[in-house]
Each structure stands twice: as structure tokens, then as C-alpha cells.
Amino acid sequence: MVDVADAIGLSVILLLNSAVAALLTRFFRVRLETAWGSLTYVAFVGTIVLIATTLVLGGGLGLGPNLGSPAVVVMGVVVLPLSLGATFDYFWMPAPEEIELPDRRTT
């Protein structure tokens, strides 16, 4: 049975991984010119970063419960937050082209 501390630890991992995925998606959308380039980088680099954060938070800090199998861990705390973060950035945030930036001051 999962106790409250394990549920809170899993929630922290899920929220942090979702936030990291959203930030990575925004970063790659702003930096890369093509839509496919940002999707490719988010899929590959984002997966590696989320696996690293999961290893640090779940293994190093001991947050979260034992989910049983590696497939459940990858699907639950890597794929789900990656898809949530990318969806948040693509559908809720305005496109990088729509944002007006202030003029740079030359001194």
C-alpha cells in the first residue's frame, strides 16, 4: 500500500518533470527555426533530461514509491510529463512568433 509520503514524492516528481518538459519545449521552440527540429529535440533531449531528474529525485533523494517495473516508471514519470509539458507549451502558451519583444537598447 502506498503511504502519504510516497504519494507526495511521486507528485513532486511528476510536477517537476512536467515543468522541466514545458521549459525545454519553450526553449527549443524559441531557439530552433523549424517545427520538426523542436519536436525532435524535445523528444530526445527531453527524455534524457527527464530520466536524469527522475534518477536524481527518485534514487538520490528517495522520493516516490516503488512502481514495480521500469516500464511503468518510464511511462508514468517520463512519457506522461513530457507529453503534458509539450502540450502545455504548444496549446496554451502563445507561439514565439506572436510575442513582441522590446527594442534592444544600444549603449
Side-chain angles (χ1 to χ4, degrees), residues 6 8 12 15 20 23 25 29 31 40-41 43 48 51-52 55 60 65 70 73 82 87 91 93 98 103:
D6 286 340
I8 290 172
V12 167
L15 289 173
V20 167
L23 290 172
T25 305
R29 281 183 72 191
R31 291 288 183 187
T40 305
Y41 272 90
I48 293 168
I51 288 173
L55 287 174
V73 172
L82 187 64
T87 301
F91 294 114
M93 298 294 292
E98 296 175 1
D103 294 332

Side-chain angles (χ1 to χ4, degrees), residues 42-63:
V42 166
F44 291 113
V45 175
T47 302
I48 293 168
V49 170
L50 292 185
I51 288 173
T53 59
T54 301
L55 287 174
V56 168
L57 294 174
L61 298 179
L63 296 176

Side-chain angles (χ1 to χ4, degrees), residues 53-97:
T53 59
T54 301
L55 287 174
V56 168
L57 294 174
L61 298 179
L63 296 176
N66 182 5
L67 296 176
S69 74
V72 173
V73 172
V74 169
M75 291 301 290
V77 296
V78 174
V79 174
L80 178 67
L82 187 64
S83 61
L84 284 174
T87 301
F88 176 79
D89 186 60
Y90 272 98
F91 294 114
W92 192 71
M93 298 294 292
E97 301 85 31

